[in-house]
Amino acid sequence: MEDNILYSLLKQNNEKSALEIISIKNVISHAFDVIVAISPFLFIKITFDMSRIYAASIITNRENQKLQYQNVVMEKKFLQTQLNPHFLFNTLNNLYGLTIKKDDIAPELILKLSEIMRYTLYDINVEEIPVQKEIDFIENYFEMEKMRYPAEYDITLIVDSDDENTRISPLLFFTFIENAFKYGLKSEIPYLKIYIETKEKKVYFAVENDTPMNTDKKDSQYGGIGIDNVKKRLCLLYPDKHELNIQERGDTFIVELKLDLSDE
């Protein structure tokens, strides 16, 4: 059809002068015919270009997803190695002291340390674990860290969980708890409180601790590779399904994390 239209246009303008062909009246009168004639070629070209761009975007998205997944794996492994040095030295020192005193708590401490090491070395080498396993790890870690401080310090952990089937990415809370012990418990009224609630595939985690008023902001709990990694993991693993709030109110540092682990 387009060939017939172009042939007709050429035939009509064959005997006209150049000025007549390019005159406004002649161009306007044949504009629609020209558009109809070339539109199939434009449609094919546009369709081809759009298909090419769409295919390229799919490849780019797949590469980005692959890189994001690799980052998540690397960051999780970083957290695994982060647990080891100072925590192990402190725990072994406590064990040594308890063993010297022949304290009855020493065997329990050894068992907790064994469970922690098994968890960080073997159990979390998967994308998700039962939320109860994560809670068990936190409870063991908490009890061992608590031993380093005087009994009169206000150090508490409250767990309210009735959800055994929910699964979660491991070590999401560890950095915040580790930082609370590292930076907190140094003021005139030392305290550290951790609260974890899991119900109907919803998780609420909160940690609150004291911070000396003269704490250098460079050394505060806000910074550090660990917290940056957790933020990235949350964005990659639970986009639009998490709410993280970190704030410092005077001499109090608070972290709150809400997670929606439902499939919807």
Side-chain angles (χ1 to χ4, degrees):
M1 177 180 175
E2 59 273 13
D3 292 339
N4 292 334
I5 294 174
L6 290 174
Y7 177 77
S8 176
L9 287 172
L10 291 173
K11 186 176 180 181
Q12 292 177 31
N13 290 280
N14 185 41
E15 297 179 356
K16 292 181 180 180
S17 66
L19 291 176
E20 289 177 323
I21 292 174
I22 64 174
S23 66
I24 294 176
K25 180 180 179 181
N26 190 60
V27 170
I28 293 175
S29 65
H30 295 300
F32 179 75
D33 293 333
V34 172
I35 292 172
V36 171
I38 65 174
S39 60
F41 300 105
L42 287 175
F43 176 77
I44 293 172
K45 186 179 186 306
I46 292 171
T47 302
F48 176 76
D49 289 343
M50 289 180 64
S51 300
R52 181 166 52 82
I53 293 171
Y54 180 70
S57 69
I58 290 177
I59 294 173
T60 301
N61 286 336
R62 286 177 179 172
E63 290 297 323
N64 286 338
Q65 289 174 356
K66 184 178 179 180
L67 287 173
Q68 288 176 345
Y69 177 76
Q70 290 173 346
N71 285 338
V72 169
V73 173
M74 289 174 62
E75 287 159 4
K76 190 176 74 174
K77 290 188 178 297
F78 168 81
L79 288 174
Q80 286 177 260
T81 59
Q82 188 185 39
L83 176 68
N84 296 331
H86 298 294
F87 173 74
L88 282 178
F89 287 135
N90 290 329
T91 302
L92 290 173
N93 283 334
N94 288 335
L95 268 174
Y96 177 75
L98 292 172
T99 304
I100 293 296
K101 293 189 296 184
K102 299 187 181 336
D103 196 309
D104 292 338
I105 200 175
E108 182 182 350
L109 189 62
I110 293 173
L111 181 60
K112 288 183 182 297
L113 179 60
S114 173
E115 291 174 349
I116 286 174
M117 296 310 299
R118 182 176 65 242
Y119 181 81
T120 57
L121 293 175
Y122 303 110
D123 291 350
I124 64 171
N125 291 321
V126 291
E127 292 184 21
E128 292 183 333
I129 56 169
V131 69
Q132 188 56 49
K133 270 197 171 185
E134 182 76 1
I135 291 174
D136 291 342
F137 162 73
I138 290 172
E139 288 176 332
N140 286 331
Y141 178 81
F142 175 84
E143 290 299 328
M144 298 187 74
E145 282 282 20
K146 185 178 178 180
M147 289 183 59
R148 298 167 45 205
Y149 299 92
E152 62 269 19
Y153 277 26
D154 184 9
I155 305 176
T156 59
L157 168 64
I158 299 174
V159 176
D160 183 7
S161 176
D162 61 0
D163 197 341
E164 297 181 357
N165 298 320
T166 298
R167 301 181 69 84
I168 190 172
S169 181
L171 294 178
L172 283 176
F173 312 129
F174 172 70
T175 295
F176 301 121
I177 297 173
E178 183 189 45
N179 280 358
F181 277 106
K182 179 179 179 181
Y183 295 105
L185 302 170
K186 292 180 174 64
S187 68
E188 294 181 0
I189 307 177
Y191 72 94
L192 190 158
K193 298 179 181 180
I194 302 171
Y195 180 76
I196 303 173
E197 178 183 294
T198 64
K199 289 183 179 179
E200 299 179 352
K201 295 188 178 296
K202 300 288 194 304
V203 177
Y204 174 75
F205 166 83
V207 57
E208 179 179 339
N209 60 270
D210 63 304
T211 56
M213 292 295 290
N214 59 352
T215 299
D216 190 335
K217 294 299 180 183
K218 294 185 296 182
D219 300 325
S220 73
Q221 290 169 266
Y222 279 111
I225 298 174
I227 286 184
D228 288 340
N229 282 345
V230 174
K231 289 179 178 178
K232 290 177 185 176
R233 290 182 67 206
L234 287 169
C235 290
L236 294 173
L237 294 169
Y238 303 107
D240 303 321
K241 286 196 168 188
H242 78 276
E243 182 180 336
L244 177 63
N245 184 24
I246 302 175
Q247 56 183 310
E248 194 167 359
R249 302 175 188 167
D251 59 353
T252 301
F253 191 89
I254 302 171
V255 175
E256 289 182 298
L257 173 59
K258 297 177 183 178
L259 283 174
D260 180 358
L261 302 177
S262 62
D263 297 329
E264 298 179 358

